[in-house]
Amino acid sequence: KNQVEQSPQSLIILEGKNCTLQCNYTVSPFSNLRWYKQDTGRGPVSLTIMTFSENTKSNGRYTATLDADTKQSSLHITASQLSDSASYICVVSHDRGSTLGRLYFGRGTQLTVWP
Amino acid sequence: GAGVSQSPRYKVAKRGQDVALRCDPISGHVSLFWYQQALGQGPEFLTYFQNEAQLDKSGLPSDRFFAERPEGSVSTLKIQRTQQEDSAVYLCASSLGVSGRHPYGQYFGPGTRLTVT
């Protein structure tokens, strides 16, 4: 069972609209949660990184929230642009012994922005 | 460029053939990670190096997969006797520190797309 679940699996929105992507995780103990953007044919690029003590982090039009109690995170994109079309991947870092540094990836939400 | 580079970008192998995938991390980055990404899926962890030491190889799917980083910089992922299920994008990432405990970013390379026919 995947320890990081994302929803929706895919999403289509019109340019200029806002959207919110969801991430639920069961990874424990938790170190930090990241959102990555992956364009087709490219490696993932980090958007935000949050530790358990942070509940919101912004990067331009991207705002991530984290509720470590309920183990949920969201990524909100405002005023979407065509270039936002990509897969958005939620990644949770595990923090224990020999698996130090290991990341657990969700399957991603495929976002398509239409003009 | 100062980013993570991988080569080749594309590799087609016949089933049973051995392949070697190369990763050049960002200079000075201590940690190096290999991931396997199947079509439509998120990356799956394969193995992790801290300098030249392979600290975690629990994600390697079989003993046909072998990774090394002999001098603590460039890394090679080798797959012996390739099978069709090995077809995937293989991503390499590096980070300045140990990214599990500290929020250092992992910087990803563009990946090598392996197709086994």
Side-chain angles (χ1 to χ4, degrees):
Chain A
K1 183 181 182 298
N2 198 352
Q3 298 191 51
V4 181
E5 298 285 350
Q6 291 188 241
S7 62
Q9 186 175 357
S10 62
L11 180 64
I12 300 174
I13 61 174
L14 294 178
E15 186 179 14
K17 298 297 185 182
N18 305 336
C19 66
T20 300
L21 315 179
Q22 302 290 343
C23 173
N24 296 337
Y25 64 91
T26 58
V27 177
S28 181
F30 163 86
S31 176
N32 56 66
L33 185 145
R34 313 148 189 243
W35 283 92
Y36 281 86
K37 177 185 179 186
Q38 185 173 24
D39 292 308
T40 301
R42 296 182 176 270
V45 175
S46 180
L47 295 176
T48 63
I49 300 175
M50 291 182 291
T51 64
F52 67 89
S53 61
E54 299 175 292
N55 54 26
T56 187
K57 182 74 69 79
S58 291
N59 178 3
R61 295 180 295 103
Y62 301 103
T63 299
T65 65
L66 172 65
D67 186 334
D69 291 332
T70 61
K71 297 185 177 179
Q72 296 180 325
S73 176
S74 65
L75 180 69
H76 187 72
I77 305 174
T78 58
S80 61
Q81 301 176 357
L82 297 179
S83 59
D84 292 334
S85 295
S87 178
Y88 291 83
I89 306 175
C90 175
V91 185
V92 179
S93 177
H94 191 266
D95 184 9
R96 173 183 289 167
S98 63
T99 62
L100 189 67
R102 183 166 178 170
L103 301 183
Y104 291 83
F105 290 73
R107 295 183 177 181
T109 292
Q110 184 64 46
L111 174 66
T112 303
V113 180
W114 282 2
Chain B
V4 178
S5 61
Q6 293 185 245
S7 61
R9 289 294 315 276
Y10 303 92
K11 176 69 178 177
V12 178
K14 291 185 177 179
R15 192 174 64 174
Q17 192 176 354
D18 297 349
V19 298
L21 313 180
R22 177 187 169 108
C23 172
D24 284 80
I26 293 173
S27 178
H29 276 198
V30 168
S31 298
L32 185 144
F33 304 79
W34 282 99
Y35 297 92
Q36 180 189 59
Q37 186 174 24
L39 188 64
Q41 305 290 321
E44 295 277 349
F45 170 83
L46 292 176
T47 187
Y48 161 59
F49 289 87
Q50 188 171 336
N51 296 307
E52 69 277 4
Q54 190 174 18
L55 297 188
D56 187 350
K57 55 182 181 179
S58 61
L60 296 176
S62 77
D63 58 8
R64 296 184 296 103
F65 286 72
F66 172 76
E68 59 183 5
R69 194 186 185 199
E71 297 179 359
S73 59
V74 172
S75 177
T76 303
L77 176 67
K78 298 179 179 178
I79 309 173
Q80 297 177 325
R81 304 180 303 281
T82 52
Q83 303 294 316
Q84 282 190 318
E85 61 262 29
D86 300 335
S87 295
V89 174
Y90 290 86
L91 292 167
C92 174
S94 71
S95 69
L96 185 60
V98 178
S99 62
R101 183 159 289 161
H102 301 285
Y104 297 132
Q106 283 195 10
Y107 297 85
F108 283 81
T112 294
R113 180 176 294 280
L114 172 65
T115 303
V116 181
T117 60

